[in-house]
Amino acid sequence: MDSADIDRQWWKEAVVYQIYPRSFNDTDGDGVGDIPGIIEKLDYLDELGVDVIWLNPVYESPNADNGYDIADYQSIMDEFGTMSDWEDLLDGLHDRDIKLIMDLVVNHTSDEHEWFVKSREGDEEFRDYYIWRNGRTDVDGWTGHLGPDDEAPPNDWGSFFGGPAWEYDEDVGEWYLHLFDVKQPDLNWENEEVREEVFSMMEWWLEKGIDGFRMDVINLISKPPSVTEHNPPEPDGFDATFDGPKIHEYVGEMGERVLSDDLLTVGEVVGDVSMDDARQYVGRDGDGLGMLFHFDHMLLDRGGDVWEYYGYDLTDLKDVFRHWQKSLEGEGWNSNYLNNHDQPRMVSRFGDDVEYRVESAKLLGTLLHTLHGTPYIYQGEELGMTNYPFERLDDYQDVDTLNPVQNALDEGVIENFDDVKDSVAALSRDNARTPMQWTDEEHAGFTDGEPWLAVNPNHEEINADTAREDDDSVFHYYRNLIALRDDDDVSDVLVYGSYDDLWPSHTDLWAYTRTLDDERLLVVLNFTSEDQQFRLPREDEDHATYADELPLHAGEVADLDTELLVSNYDEDVESDPTEFALRPWEARVYHLS
């Protein structure tokens, strides 16, 4: 890539830290994290060096889905504090030159939102804010166990959280659509007044001073005609909900009406998103989003149910990242993440969380911070926090775990929980939601009360206090990775350099280059608990096992200045990047100029 082609934006050069407030820090002893708790830890975030906080929902909510069922977009949930607390948080962040983006959840609301209450009551102004439809009466053999005996739901879609995607309301005499929990009715984006309400609400938050939005399941807001029309054609399959027929019209309208290049905007897109759609969402002449959260790498090791866990192959993981890195190059921007509030802990999923926890946590961090795109850190990732040792179904809180498993047990799909407990424990979202581990004291210093979700017992070893005192900890390694984006010698190639995979078929090593003009980074990662050998190919050898077009060969290095920029092992690290042995989970980054 040529530096003349750089389209600079502050959010491309930033590092984002995600806070799940319910589990971050509790100051009032009720066992639930709160906004004053975040304020209490602002110096910690400043010390880490992050540029942006992504705050999961703190809006008024009955908590059917831990805040993703919003009852009032413009008020703060009592558990979390007050609007004055939130304003103090924003000021405290901005005083430290840290920006704030809010979670935008506009595919659905809570069924306790005023709009839905009035819609359910028959208020004509709000009737079409949601998707109400008559059931089907021509379905043979329907038992009517979820509605009247003589009709079935409008179609046979299932919800993401288990069970049907339609709920029959006896008072209304119709069914409403909920792609998620029954208490999360989907908004009807066909209704222009709904869009006006959403855009007005977004502008209200921007006027309060926030710096962007993370957009929850944004590619689901456009539904197919078989759902949106009152006299619909034949039902569509559930896949028709992904990137629906008017999705770019709606997101593009949002981009034109509300968004700007100065905002950090990242849209969560579920399902099998085509690259044409991806480029339209984030392209220079597209819908106006800055980047996307896709799930291609998050689905490699699992099936459709939370108990279907298969593990992953490194080559498949590399393929996904290469596809997105190269396909958006020059046309859009990537977000880079390996865990968040909806995913298990990355060191347990992609690393070795027992013998090489520290080394593999550092390696995974190296990957995320040296790819092309904006890196996202999920709270506790910088400590190397691990999955929780769940044993019983009663240990879980998450509806996305409890509902599907309980339904499968009730229907005989699985005979007993013990048959699937290990897989469920590996994949459940609750792994990410266990409280932040601040100290080695009771409840990890998270709360003086009883935590809403159990604290991982390994907090006596893995905690922020211990990590900050240890210069070789994951925490300090992350500080160094983050600081590289402000290092004048390497920041441009690190942020804007093109990505090229050196050895895509290697099952154990991930090696790639980042290139901008005459500057290069060589990144080599050993994704195993065994020693591995690496060497750059020679120009004149048969390099069929390497990439088709070599981005770098050994002969070129002789004419370059080389510097070992990053290593997660402190001792006996060679400065020669052409050939070397890698220890278990070793990561190296060389600067070649």
Side-chain angles (χ1 to χ4, degrees), residues 180-469:
F180 294 88
D181 191 77
V182 66
K183 288 183 66 63
Q184 294 171 289
D186 281 48
L187 285 165
N188 178 18
W189 275 71
E190 293 278 322
N191 185 340
E192 183 178 354
E193 293 180 6
V194 168
R195 303 198 300 277
E196 289 293 334
E197 294 270 20
V198 169
F199 300 155
S200 176
M201 174 267 293
M202 294 173 68
E203 289 167 348
W204 185 86
W205 280 105
L206 290 171
E207 288 171 2
K208 289 188 76 66
I210 69 168
D211 304 288
F213 296 99
R214 177 266 184 184
M215 302 177 181
D216 187 64
V217 294
I218 196 64
N219 69 324
L220 299 182
I221 61 176
S222 171
K223 308 302 191 289
S226 63
V227 169
T228 59
E229 294 181 7
H230 284 279
N231 296 303
E234 287 297 311
D236 290 292
F238 188 79
D239 286 352
T241 61
F242 304 124
D243 308 297
K246 295 184 179 180
I247 187 61
H248 295 298
E249 176 184 332
Y250 296 155
V251 178
E253 185 180 3
M254 179 190 293
E256 182 177 342
R257 292 278 303 277
V258 183
L259 306 180
S260 71
D261 288 343
D262 291 335
L263 299 174
L264 191 163
T265 52
V266 53
E268 181 189 39
V269 288
V270 297
D272 187 12
V273 179
S274 73
M275 194 50 64
D276 285 342
D277 277 320
R279 293 190 188 104
Q280 180 64 29
Y281 285 121
V282 301
R284 291 181 179 178
D285 300 320
D287 299 338
L289 301 186
M291 49 191 137
L292 303 177
F293 284 143
H294 66 82
F295 286 79
D296 290 1
H297 57 314
M298 294 288 100
L299 299 176
L300 290 176
D301 58 355
R302 63 176 300 167
D305 295 304
V306 73
W307 59 84
E308 294 179 325
Y309 175 67
Y310 308 119
Y312 78 99
D313 291 325
L314 181 62
T315 53
D316 293 336
L317 189 63
K318 290 193 283 187
D319 286 347
V320 169
F321 275 92
R322 182 171 63 253
H323 173 63
W324 282 87
Q325 295 275 297
K326 300 305 292 183
S327 297
L328 287 184
E329 186 176 302
E331 299 190 50
W333 198 253
N334 278 288
S335 65
N336 298 321
Y337 76 99
L338 285 173
N339 50 190
N340 57 33
H341 67 292
D342 282 336
Q343 303 294 335
R345 289 284 176 181
M346 72 178 192
V347 71
S348 296
R349 189 176 191 177
F350 298 106
D352 179 341
D353 66 1
V354 181
E355 186 174 0
Y356 295 104
R357 180 187 65 84
V358 171
E359 291 84 357
S360 61
K362 291 178 178 180
L363 175 141
L364 295 169
T366 307
L367 170 68
L368 292 175
H369 288 259
T370 58
L371 290 168
H372 187 278
T374 298
Y376 286 74
I377 301 170
Y378 180 66
Q379 64 183 45
E381 174 188 323
E382 77 280 10
L383 306 177
M385 280 179 61
T386 68
N387 280 356
Y388 183 90
F390 291 108
E391 288 289 334
R392 301 174 301 121
L393 189 57
D394 289 344
D395 293 337
Y396 296 91
Q397 295 276 354
D398 179 32
V399 292
D400 192 35
T401 300
L402 292 171
N403 289 0
V405 173
Q406 192 59 60
N407 289 341
L409 289 168
D410 293 343
E411 296 167 7
V413 175
I414 53 181
E415 291 187 9
N416 60 74
F417 179 67
D418 284 346
D419 292 341
V420 298
K421 76 171 186 178
D422 290 342
S423 293
V424 173
L427 294 174
S428 174
R429 302 193 304 182
D430 274 341
N431 285 299
R433 301 177 181 189
T434 59
M436 182 74 171
Q437 294 165 207
W438 296 107
T439 73
D440 61 2
E441 299 171 350
E442 186 180 18
H443 305 320
F446 164 70
T447 182
D448 292 332
E450 187 67 25
W452 76 277
L453 187 63
V455 173
N456 198 314
N458 65 16
H459 72 273
E460 294 182 2
E461 173 192 359
I462 304 170
N463 62 75
D465 275 1
T466 300
R468 293 167 78 183
E469 293 173 359

Side-chain angles (χ1 to χ4, degrees), residues 462-532:
I462 304 170
N463 62 75
D465 275 1
T466 300
R468 293 167 78 183
E469 293 173 359
D470 179 3
D471 290 341
D472 293 328
S473 68
V474 180
F475 175 83
H476 285 291
Y477 190 85
Y478 263 65
R479 291 186 68 210
N480 293 335
L481 288 174
I482 294 167
L484 285 177
R485 296 178 93 78
D486 293 322
D487 185 329
D488 291 340
D489 291 335
V490 298
S491 58
D492 275 0
V493 65
L494 178 64
V495 175
Y496 296 106
S498 60
Y499 169 93
D500 290 288
D501 203 335
L502 181 64
W503 216 340
S505 63
H506 202 297
T507 58
D508 300 318
L509 298 183
W510 193 340
Y512 53 91
T513 60
R514 301 289 310 286
T515 306
L516 182 69
D517 296 334
D518 296 330
E519 299 289 319
R520 277 200 181 110
L521 299 179
L522 170 64
V523 183
V524 186
L525 310 171
N526 176 10
F527 267 75
T528 76
S529 298
E530 308 293 335
D531 291 344
Q532 300 289 336

Side-chain angles (χ1 to χ4, degrees), residues 15-255:
V15 174
V16 183
Y17 187 94
Q18 181 190 353
I19 290 180
Y20 192 72
R22 192 171 189 82
S23 299
F24 192 64
N25 186 37
D26 171 32
T27 58
D28 61 10
D30 66 354
V32 175
D34 46 46
I35 293 172
I38 303 172
I39 295 172
E40 193 174 83
K41 300 297 184 181
L42 289 182
D43 287 343
Y44 170 86
L45 298 170
D46 195 30
E47 180 186 357
L48 183 59
V50 296
D51 305 290
V52 185
I53 297 302
W54 156 26
L55 186 62
N56 283 111
V58 291
Y59 315 102
E60 182 60 41
S61 167
N63 267 328
D65 184 23
N66 284 356
Y68 279 89
D69 49 317
I70 297 171
D72 187 342
Y73 288 106
Q74 292 172 220
S75 67
I76 302 297
M77 191 190 311
D78 288 343
E79 279 187 319
F80 292 145
T82 66
M83 185 61 75
S84 178
D85 292 329
W86 180 90
E87 291 166 349
D88 289 343
L89 171 62
L90 180 67
D91 289 342
L93 288 168
H94 283 177
D95 287 346
R96 293 166 175 79
D97 293 323
I98 301 174
K99 299 181 186 294
L100 176 66
I101 66 171
M102 296 288 281
D103 225 312
L104 182 74
V105 187
V106 290
N107 175 70
H108 47 265
T109 69
S110 167
D111 66 348
E112 298 182 30
H113 194 291
E114 180 185 21
W115 299 343
F116 189 76
V117 172
K118 290 184 175 181
S119 180
R120 178 179 256 161
E121 290 173 347
D123 188 320
E124 287 301 317
E125 181 182 352
F126 294 94
R127 180 64 176 160
D128 281 340
Y129 270 46
Y130 298 87
I131 300 172
W132 293 95
R133 295 294 176 262
N134 291 316
R136 293 172 291 164
T137 57
D138 57 349
V139 181
D140 293 336
W142 180 256
T143 63
H145 62 280
L146 294 174
D149 289 341
D150 59 348
E151 67 180 82
N155 63 29
D156 61 0
W157 291 357
S159 77
F160 283 97
F161 291 167
W166 296 89
E167 177 74 2
Y168 184 75
D169 189 290
E170 292 187 0
D171 293 335
V172 177
E174 291 183 349
W175 305 73
Y176 67 83
L177 180 68
H178 61 92
L179 294 183
F180 294 88
D181 191 77
V182 66
K183 288 183 66 63
Q184 294 171 289
D186 281 48
L187 285 165
N188 178 18
W189 275 71
E190 293 278 322
N191 185 340
E192 183 178 354
E193 293 180 6
V194 168
R195 303 198 300 277
E196 289 293 334
E197 294 270 20
V198 169
F199 300 155
S200 176
M201 174 267 293
M202 294 173 68
E203 289 167 348
W204 185 86
W205 280 105
L206 290 171
E207 288 171 2
K208 289 188 76 66
I210 69 168
D211 304 288
F213 296 99
R214 177 266 184 184
M215 302 177 181
D216 187 64
V217 294
I218 196 64
N219 69 324
L220 299 182
I221 61 176
S222 171
K223 308 302 191 289
S226 63
V227 169
T228 59
E229 294 181 7
H230 284 279
N231 296 303
E234 287 297 311
D236 290 292
F238 188 79
D239 286 352
T241 61
F242 304 124
D243 308 297
K246 295 184 179 180
I247 187 61
H248 295 298
E249 176 184 332
Y250 296 155
V251 178
E253 185 180 3
M254 179 190 293

